[in-house]
Amino acid sequence: MLLKDCNPQVIRDNSTSLLSQISSALCRPFKLRVEQALAGETDSVVLYRLSALFTFYSEKMTPEIGPESELSRTIDELNQLTLNIFYSGLNGAVQKILSKVDCSNYNHRLQSTLPAVHQILMLLRDVLETHDGAMAGRTNSEEEFNKIFSCVLDPLYRSVQVAATHLHSPLDVAVYTLNCLSAIHSLVILYPFTDSRLEMIKALMEGNEDVLVSEEASTILANTGLIHLYQKASAHDKSQGPLSAISGMDSATVNNTLIQFDAYLAQPDKYQLDQVAKISSARTRESVKQRTVDNVVAAYSAVIKKLEDPANAYENVSYKSVDQVS
């Protein structure tokens, strides 16, 4: 009513200033009430949602009341305060979960630490889903994502490493670490701005796979006796004369060893390490299995190459081709 007789252009020219002055009266009680509410809030997801709400209203109201208005500044200040409390609370929530992990023995640790990892990852997922579902787009999304990931994943990585140091063997360490990293990878890959973290996780996973592949391949070669043939075949030089004339490399010994190797080919699962079966990711288990086979076949191929060389004077030796073994 007060403005109905005003020129529309005059209203447009002065509306921002007027709204800024009118809204300034709301700032003090609004700020006090929000600060009181924030003082008792500990839920990280709720805090991040509240921050998203402040961002939404800031984007909607700032063009109308001006970025220098007291209300705009108040909303921005409350948003920053909320984010600070959010990051502090998120870090506290992660530490609280990790503090409950019991590392007293392997079996209990396998049952307690992995659920703790999943619990932390679900917290991370809930926070990031709040980001995705926000009504307003965040202009600094990459910075916020990286800060959230650092707040959650960095202490999680450290906890996994500490827990792994209490395990009984390098194989247990590798499996435990792989299971934790697989769970982390499966969530992180769903979100943007994670390329560098995914590369780091992949490198760590490959390193732990290497431990299992090396140990399992060595176990197969040792249990079948092929390791002795491989070592002597690899060390052999033509200047030493025929390989068949070297102790332990005669045709009878080679035949007996290859019979043992055939037993492995008939039932390869019997030679699998117990720890490999505990890998939670089917893809990782298959990767370890295939890489192990590749290593064993490479050793077998080196032996067969020597057996096929006429200079080594092998007779009456029965063996499968490399293609049959692969």
Side-chain angles (χ1 to χ4, degrees):
M1 294 292 292
L2 294 175
L3 301 176
K4 69 176 184 177
D5 294 328
C6 290
N7 186 301
Q9 184 60 45
V10 173
I11 295 177
R12 283 193 293 271
D13 292 343
N14 294 277
S15 62
T16 299
S17 175
L18 288 171
L19 288 172
S20 174
Q21 294 179 48
I22 293 170
S23 62
S24 64
L26 302 172
C27 295
R28 183 174 178 79
F30 173 60
K31 186 175 183 180
L32 287 174
R33 183 67 187 92
V34 171
E35 288 176 342
Q36 289 173 353
L38 290 175
E41 185 56 67
T42 59
D43 190 315
S44 299
V45 176
V46 171
L47 288 166
Y48 200 55
R49 286 174 180 167
L50 184 57
S51 171
L53 193 61
F54 283 135
T55 300
F56 170 76
Y57 280 116
S58 178
E59 290 185 359
K60 295 300 180 183
M61 296 178 68
T62 297
E64 303 299 327
I65 62 178
E68 299 303 319
S69 66
E70 188 174 354
L71 183 56
S72 286
R73 292 198 303 270
T74 298
I75 292 175
D76 290 342
E77 289 171 2
L78 289 173
N79 189 15
Q80 189 57 54
L81 174 63
T82 304
L83 280 175
N84 290 341
I85 298 174
F86 158 71
Y87 286 119
S88 176
L90 183 61
N91 182 67
V94 170
Q95 295 299 334
K96 184 177 180 180
I97 295 171
L98 293 177
S99 69
K100 296 178 181 179
V101 174
D102 182 1
C103 296
S104 58
N105 62 73
Y106 176 71
N107 289 329
H108 186 63
R109 184 162 50 255
L110 189 61
Q111 295 170 357
S112 66
T113 305
L114 289 180
V117 171
H118 287 296
Q119 189 176 352
I120 289 174
L121 292 178
M122 290 306 98
L123 173 62
L124 177 60
R125 183 200 64 184
D126 290 343
V127 169
L128 296 179
E129 285 183 351
T130 295
H131 184 286
D132 290 344
M135 293 178 287
R138 293 178 181 263
T139 56
N140 57 342
S141 292
E142 182 171 1
E143 180 183 347
E144 283 194 10
F145 264 73
N146 288 332
K147 193 169 182 179
I148 291 170
F149 281 128
S150 296
C151 190
V152 175
L153 296 183
D154 290 352
L156 181 56
Y157 291 145
R158 290 193 293 271
S159 176
V160 169
Q161 291 171 344
V162 170
T165 62
H166 297 281
L167 296 176
H168 303 313
S169 74
L171 298 181
D172 291 338
V173 171
V175 172
Y176 170 78
T177 306
L178 272 174
N179 287 343
C180 292
L181 292 175
S182 293
I184 295 170
H185 184 276
S186 65
L187 179 69
V188 173
I189 198 172
L190 301 176
Y191 297 97
F193 317 120
T194 57
D195 289 349
S196 60
R197 286 192 176 272
L198 289 172
E199 289 178 5
M200 181 193 71
I201 294 171
K202 184 178 179 181
L204 291 172
M205 291 180 69
E206 288 178 350
N208 284 281
E209 282 187 31
D210 289 344
V211 174
L212 293 169
V213 169
S214 176
E215 184 64 26
E216 188 164 43
S218 297
T219 299
I220 292 170
L221 294 176
N223 289 344
T224 60
L226 193 66
I227 187 66
H228 303 297
L229 302 189
Y230 172 69
Q231 289 172 341
K232 292 184 178 182
S234 298
H236 176 255
D237 186 85
K238 288 186 177 182
S239 62
Q240 297 173 291
L243 181 60
S244 59
I246 293 178
S247 176
M249 290 300 293
D250 57 276
S251 295
T253 301
V254 170
N255 269 325
N256 288 335
T257 301
L258 293 179
I259 289 173
Q260 295 180 58
F261 188 73
D262 285 344
Y264 153 71
L265 295 176
Q267 293 181 300
D269 290 344
K270 289 182 62 176
Y271 292 77
Q272 186 183 70
L273 296 175
D274 293 339
Q275 287 89 343
V276 173
K278 296 178 182 178
I279 298 175
S280 59
S281 167
R283 178 179 296 180
T284 302
R285 281 199 308 274
E286 186 58 32
S287 174
V288 170
K289 179 180 178 180
Q290 186 56 54
R291 290 178 60 193
T292 298
V293 169
D294 292 343
N295 283 14
V296 171
V297 170
Y300 181 79
S301 178
V303 172
I304 297 305
K305 185 177 180 180
K306 290 289 187 177
L307 298 182
E308 292 175 338
D309 187 346
N312 289 318
Y314 278 104
E315 296 180 356
N316 301 319
V317 175
S318 177
Y319 56 85
K320 291 180 172 64
S321 68
V322 174
D323 289 340
Q324 289 176 302
V325 171
S326 300

